Amino acid sequence: MPISGHTYLCRFDVLEEGVPRRFEVDGLPVSLVRTEGEVFAIHDVCSHSAVSLSEGEVEGCTVECWLHGSRFDLRTGKPLDPPASRPVPVYPVRVEDGDVYVEVMLRSAG
């Protein structure tokens, strides 16, 4: 059953532990990561170099950008290492009856 304000992305069991998976929600790239018993959704573009975070390595609740090595906290989107200095958006995730839903709020410019 659809959840108001959330977009269905996949079944929970298709997500491999510690392996990011890229999706598109309303035209935005989103990386889903299953780690430490939870599922996190983070914008799938590094704030430093515009490359896909879903191609990076996951360790605990962090994902590392494969190009320059910046790590981002999956819970907050904050960079933990240079050269990245700006956070990336994170999105609320709900898992219900084995289905994974993400709420992506589009921000208007201005």
Side-chain angles (χ1 to χ4, degrees):
M1 177 174 176
I3 299 174
S4 179
H6 288 71
T7 301
Y8 169 82
L9 292 187
C10 66
R11 296 283 299 162
F12 178 80
D13 56 11
V14 303
L15 298 173
E16 294 180 58
E17 180 75 19
V19 179
R21 185 156 176 195
R22 182 184 173 102
F23 293 88
E24 259 196 40
V25 179
D26 295 328
L28 292 175
V30 175
S31 179
L32 277 187
V33 180
R34 177 179 169 184
T35 184
E36 298 187 354
E38 294 185 66
V39 179
F40 299 95
I42 189 167
H43 190 68
D44 193 37
V45 179
C46 177
S47 61
H48 169 257
S49 195
V51 298
S52 177
L53 292 176
S54 64
E55 296 177 23
E57 298 290 322
V58 172
E59 185 176 323
C61 288
T62 66
V63 63
E64 181 178 350
C65 176
W66 61 269
L67 188 59
H68 293 114
S70 291
R71 289 179 307 132
F72 295 87
D73 188 313
L74 292 168
R75 298 164 292 207
T76 65
K78 291 182 180 176
L80 303 173
D81 304 298
S85 60
R86 292 185 329 268
V88 294
V90 294
Y91 309 107
V93 175
R94 290 186 55 186
V95 179
E96 287 196 10
D97 298 323
D99 292 331
V100 179
Y101 299 87
V102 174
E103 182 181 12
V104 174
M105 295 176 273
L106 301 175
R107 294 187 179 112
S108 59

